[in-house]
Amino acid sequence: MQKTALITGITGQDGSYLAEFLLDKGYRVFGMVRRASTENFERIEHIRDQVTLIQADLLDQMSLITAISESQPDEVYNLAAQSFVPTSWTKPVLTAEFTALGVTRVLEAVRLVKPDAKFYQASSSEMFGKVKETPQNENTSFHPRSPYGVAKVYGHFITVNYRESYGLFACSGILFNHESPRRGLEFVTRKVSYAVARIKLGLRDSVALGNLDAKRDWGYALDYVEMMWMMLQQDEPDDYVIASGETHSVKELVEVAFGHAGLDWQKFVKIDPRFVRPAEVDLLIGDPAKARNKLGWQPKVSFEELVKMMVDSDLELVQKREIIVG
């Protein structure tokens, strides 16, 4: 019996990898996209003919009800959100609408139309913020330090609430930072790898960064989307921390990226206070023991492999663009 999945945020990094993963598993895949004057399907261009796209919006309840009705999914993966932390400071209300209330709207559509569907919510390590313990696990209390983190806490607990109140099979994956060549250019990992490529090819002479001492638990996005699927294959719904269990500073990221391209980072990196957050999160490092023990999950790609993969990908991308433009 072929399963059907609906992915909100299918055009994003995680959504595109998840769509590929589910197609490989034989799923029929529906993707939810917002109506926009400029459509960005770059990440899913290679699988466009294999997925069915439905127009809907996290801000519009009726469109979500229609999307669930049309797709009749066995599994719903809610990956759509306003997901860039700095933007949440300049657009806190919009972030709350998408990243908090949007989750409620999707859950409500599932409850009304397809209550037997399994639901995955993309929670975030940003919920821990001012951490109460290190490393952080499923029982660590939340203290978010950005409007994005606050909105994610709401999304997390409304998912728990629908599970406990309505008996929905609803899970949250508390994912720590996960990156890939498909990461948006506004995120620090991709900002660095793309800058390295352009500097290496003589197209720019520096990159401005914020706090080099900020530390994160970085993993590979494709490893993490596999976990989303694994959570929905269990007999009982539950929440899991997904992390590498290692922490690295932005400075380490810079050293590996520039070093891989044969460059001395100190000649090219400038510190710009505009890129320092109003409230920085503390040491974020996840404890994935529960996912390892209950689900048998293990990340496959190391931090250094990930950074080098991103630099190689951006070198190729920038060279291609230069050839086309040139």
Side-chain angles (χ1 to χ4, degrees):
M1 181 77 177
Q2 187 183 33
K3 281 188 180 178
T4 299
L6 172 65
I7 303 170
T8 75
I10 193 171
T11 59
Q13 169 188 258
D14 293 4
S16 64
Y17 279 120
L18 180 61
E20 280 178 1
F21 179 83
L22 294 175
L23 286 169
D24 286 345
K25 293 267 178 203
Y27 277 66
R28 187 177 179 210
V29 176
F30 286 83
M32 199 183 95
V33 293
R34 294 175 67 204
R35 171 136 182 80
S37 53
T38 55
E39 294 177 328
N40 180 15
F41 297 140
E42 189 181 344
R43 294 186 183 95
I44 58 166
E45 204 56 62
H46 60 297
I47 53 170
R48 270 292 291 279
D49 59 341
Q50 299 173 64
V51 300
T52 304
L53 299 181
I54 299 177
Q55 282 190 356
D57 197 309
L58 290 184
L59 304 188
D60 179 26
Q61 183 71 65
M62 273 312 299
S63 72
L64 296 171
I65 288 171
T66 303
I68 301 286
S69 299
E70 283 184 20
S71 56
Q72 289 294 311
D74 300 294
E75 297 170 4
V76 177
Y77 296 86
N78 184 40
L79 310 185
Q82 190 300 99
S83 59
F84 188 46
V85 175
T87 299
S88 77
W89 293 103
T90 56
K91 297 181 177 174
V93 176
L94 188 68
T95 298
E97 283 285 354
F98 276 115
T99 308
L101 293 179
V103 185
T104 315
R105 294 187 190 103
V106 180
L107 281 164
E108 190 64 3
V110 171
R111 181 182 78 83
L112 292 170
V113 181
K114 194 75 167 57
D116 61 334
K118 294 183 173 183
F119 176 84
Y120 170 84
Q121 166 59 14
S123 287
S124 167
S125 59
E126 290 284 334
M127 301 188 305
F128 295 119
K130 193 174 175 63
V131 300
K132 301 292 191 288
E133 61 181 349
T134 301
Q136 295 89 47
N137 62 33
E138 293 80 6
N139 299 314
T140 304
S141 56
F142 301 135
H143 188 143
R145 298 270 278 169
S146 67
Y148 170 76
V150 173
K152 278 291 185 185
V153 170
Y154 176 99
H156 181 84
F157 278 124
I158 201 69
T159 302
V160 172
N161 193 263
Y162 269 66
R163 178 168 74 214
E164 294 176 353
S165 303
Y166 300 117
L168 293 187
F169 191 111
C171 302
S172 282
I174 306 172
L175 270 60
F176 280 66
N177 293 59
H178 47 291
E179 317 296 320
S180 76
R182 296 183 193 173
R183 195 43 138 165
L185 287 167
E186 68 273 24
F187 290 85
V188 70
T189 45
R190 184 74 197 291
K191 181 180 178 179
V192 168
S193 65
Y194 192 69
V196 166
R198 289 183 62 79
I199 290 167
K200 179 71 176 176
L201 295 169
L203 299 170
R204 66 186 287 181
D205 54 15
S206 67
V207 59
L209 298 172
N211 180 11
L212 294 188
D213 295 324
K215 292 186 173 181
R216 294 290 183 274
D217 182 329
W218 277 300
Y220 178 37
L222 187 54
D223 286 344
Y224 286 34
V225 300
E226 183 179 355
M227 260 309 302
M228 300 174 186
W229 175 78
M230 289 172 81
M231 283 181 219
L232 298 196
Q233 310 317 305
Q234 305 309 303
D235 294 331
E236 298 294 330
D238 207 346
D239 305 324
Y240 297 88
V241 162
I242 308 303
S244 72
E246 298 176 4
T247 189
H248 298 276
S249 66
V250 175
K251 186 179 175 184
E252 284 177 78
L253 164 71
V254 165
E255 287 171 344
V256 174
F258 277 89
H260 185 56
L263 300 170
D264 177 0
W265 70 271
Q266 288 169 307
K267 292 178 181 174
F268 305 103
V269 174
K270 295 177 178 173
I271 303 305
D272 187 333
R274 285 180 307 153
F275 297 120
V276 178
R277 292 184 183 186
E280 181 59 84
V281 297
D282 295 325
L283 177 56
L284 287 177
I285 176 169
D287 175 9
K290 180 177 172 182
R292 200 167 48 234
N293 297 335
K294 281 188 77 172
L295 307 177
W297 178 76
Q298 201 72 33
K300 301 178 184 79
V301 175
S302 72
F303 171 74
E304 287 207 358
E305 287 170 336
L306 171 63
V307 177
K308 290 174 181 177
M309 176 202 303
M310 292 178 71
V311 170
D312 288 341
S313 173
D314 276 332
L315 277 166
E316 193 180 323
L317 178 73
V318 172
Q319 280 172 323
K320 262 189 204 160
R321 282 183 180 166
E322 284 307 300
I323 291 165
I324 292 165
V325 173

